[in-house]
Amino acid sequence: MSRFLSERFSALEEYTPGEQPRDRKYIKLNTNESPYPPSPRTVAAVNAAVVGDLNLYPDPDCTALTAALAKRYDVDAEQIIVSNSSDDLLNFAFTAFCDGGRGAAFAEISYGFYEVFANFHCVPYKKLPVESDFSLDYRKYLALGCNLFLANPNAQTGIALPLEQVEEIIKSNPDYVVVVDEAYVDFGAQSAVSLVDKYENLLVTQTFSKSRSMAGARLGFAIGRRGLIADMKKIKYSTNPYAVNRMTLSAGEAAIADDGYYMANCRKIIATREYTRAELERRGFFVTDSAANFLLASSGAIGGRELYERLRGEGILVRHFSDAKIENFVRITVGTREQMDALLTAVDKILGEANAK
């Protein structure tokens, strides 16, 4: 770093994205992208936008997409904010609602950006322990006395809380914002969007990256009561009101219009997830009860880091984390059935070699 960096950022530990190597062709099962392409209608909308008015700024209010989302989720347009990815919106939430007197809490094993944002904004925070099976005990999240960031299903583990437990958490923290991060909700969890009219402190964030095959487009949205959304828009319009470009807006509108295509892909991913879970368990793996588009898995025959490296050598990328509680695990994105069969073949080879030692 240079001598000009502000002292308050000198010790900041930034978020580490999943690797995107270019040295060879890999089966990418490391960053929870969809294995299926955007729908033809979505691609056509992007192509049309490319030859459109790129010399003009995009609509900062994202009016057409907001209207489509409002209809899809049965809320008013004033209850929605659209921006450049759900990461952007999570950052807005930390900016708007957290400060030295109103800190944050989140699970010790969850989305890594929560801790990064807390440190970036100099916000005091606490990390709540997970259970021995990596689930969350909702009772630990009751009456916390601070803002709460809850990934449901949880990042890294994929385990989801039932909606009635999420509601208990929201209800018990009435003076603090509860952000329910639903990046993976379309793969088997219950959404808290149905509760936004009931609780003024609930903010739900979602993304187009996972279930709608648009990780490369960077698009997300949040739903809440009008007051919370107005707070979020204050931050957006004070930083980057044109955060969503014209091509991405067109893609988002087409994706919502083609919702059936994407939800059918989600069902395929769920079926493949359950197939892969059963096959890994048959090979002696412990696998978390994921309701997301990934599995967290551990083998007693080989360590997590070694399995990650050996799979990489076989041309398959998975994710390994250094956190002590999950260092013997790998996180595996659910791809197509063919990709998962290739993974299982590689696992059989690696385990066979490990057992032969």
Side-chain angles (χ1 to χ4, degrees):
M1 66 183 69
S2 80
R3 61 188 176 90
F4 304 105
L5 181 68
S6 172
E7 185 177 345
R8 72 188 183 98
F9 294 127
S10 60
L12 181 65
E13 186 174 338
E14 63 267 34
Y15 177 74
T16 304
E19 60 184 320
Q20 305 283 348
R22 296 289 184 268
D23 60 313
R24 60 179 287 189
K25 185 173 178 61
Y26 291 92
I27 295 176
K28 269 188 100 276
L29 306 177
N30 66 324
T31 48
N32 299 342
E33 298 143 323
S34 173
Y36 301 108
S39 71
R41 184 186 302 189
T42 306
V43 174
V46 173
N47 290 338
V50 169
V51 298
D53 298 322
L54 290 186
N55 57 311
L56 303 177
Y57 283 110
D59 174 12
D61 293 325
C62 309
T63 306
L65 177 55
T66 297
L69 287 166
K71 183 177 180 181
R72 166 67 173 79
Y73 291 96
D74 194 24
V75 297
D76 293 334
E78 293 79 12
Q79 293 180 271
I80 294 177
I81 178 174
V82 175
S83 197
N84 182 289
S85 77
S86 58
D87 290 341
D88 209 21
L89 295 160
L90 292 169
N91 189 23
F92 292 168
F94 270 93
T95 306
F97 309 123
C98 301
D99 53 33
R102 297 174 64 85
F106 37 85
E108 62 174 339
I109 297 175
S110 194
Y111 187 31
F113 241 138
Y114 302 153
E115 187 169 4
V116 173
F117 285 143
N119 286 322
F120 184 88
H121 292 289
C122 300
V123 169
Y125 62 91
K126 48 189 168 186
K127 296 195 288 186
L128 304 174
V130 298
E131 304 307 297
S132 59
D133 62 353
F134 300 104
S135 65
L136 305 184
D137 182 349
Y138 80 98
R139 291 166 294 190
K140 293 178 179 177
Y141 295 77
L142 303 180
L144 284 177
C146 62
N147 298 303
L148 175 62
F149 292 80
L150 179 69
N152 196 47
N154 196 18
Q156 316 328 345
T157 70
I159 299 173
L161 287 175
L163 186 59
E164 58 267 23
Q165 293 182 6
V166 173
E167 183 170 11
E168 285 298 313
I169 293 170
I170 299 163
K171 186 164 55 176
S172 75
N173 292 283
D175 297 321
Y176 298 90
V177 177
V178 177
V179 179
V180 182
D181 178 358
E182 295 186 345
Y184 302 101
V185 72
D186 291 325
F187 300 104
Q190 297 171 284
S191 176
V193 169
S194 61
L195 302 175
V196 295
D197 285 332
K198 192 173 181 181
Y199 298 100
E200 65 175 349
N201 63 324
L202 170 62
L203 184 72
V204 179
T205 63
Q206 291 195 20
T207 178
F208 281 70
S209 294
K210 316 300 182 184
S211 60
R212 293 189 172 97
S213 303
M214 286 172 54
R218 314 309 298 136
L219 184 63
F221 61 97
I223 301 177
R225 294 275 281 271
R226 288 173 178 80
L228 285 186
I229 297 303
D231 297 340
M232 296 281 282
K233 287 183 178 179
K234 179 182 285 290
I235 304 304
K236 175 182 175 179
Y237 281 83
S238 299
T239 51
N240 184 8
Y242 298 111
V244 186
N245 67 63
R246 283 178 171 271
M247 291 175 290
T248 295
L249 281 175
S250 295
E253 293 164 31
I256 294 300
D258 227 1
D259 199 53
Y261 168 87
Y262 293 101
M263 295 305 104
N265 284 344
C266 288
R267 291 190 291 272
K268 288 192 286 187
I269 289 169
I270 291 168
T272 306
R273 179 188 71 207
E274 296 310 305
Y275 161 75
T276 307
R277 184 208 309 275
E279 288 297 315
L280 287 172
E281 289 176 342
R282 192 167 65 82
R283 289 161 170 81
F285 279 76
F286 169 78
V287 186
T288 57
D289 186 19
S290 175
N293 68 334
F294 60 84
L295 297 166
L296 189 69
S298 175
S299 168
I302 187 170
R305 180 75 191 182
E306 183 181 357
L307 179 56
Y308 154 76
E309 291 174 346
R310 294 290 303 278
L311 285 170
R312 197 179 196 282
E314 296 292 327
I316 299 173
L317 290 179
V318 296
R319 192 83 188 263
H320 178 259
F321 298 93
S322 59
D323 310 61
K325 286 193 174 182
I326 55 173
E327 63 182 356
N328 285 323
F329 287 75
V330 292
R331 193 192 69 190
I332 306 166
T333 301
V334 177
T336 64
R337 176 66 178 265
E338 293 73 21
Q339 288 174 324
M340 305 319 285
D341 282 337
L343 167 80
L344 293 168
T345 298
V347 165
D348 287 340
K349 176 183 177 182
I350 292 166
L351 292 182
E353 292 171 353
N355 292 330
K357 290 182 179 178

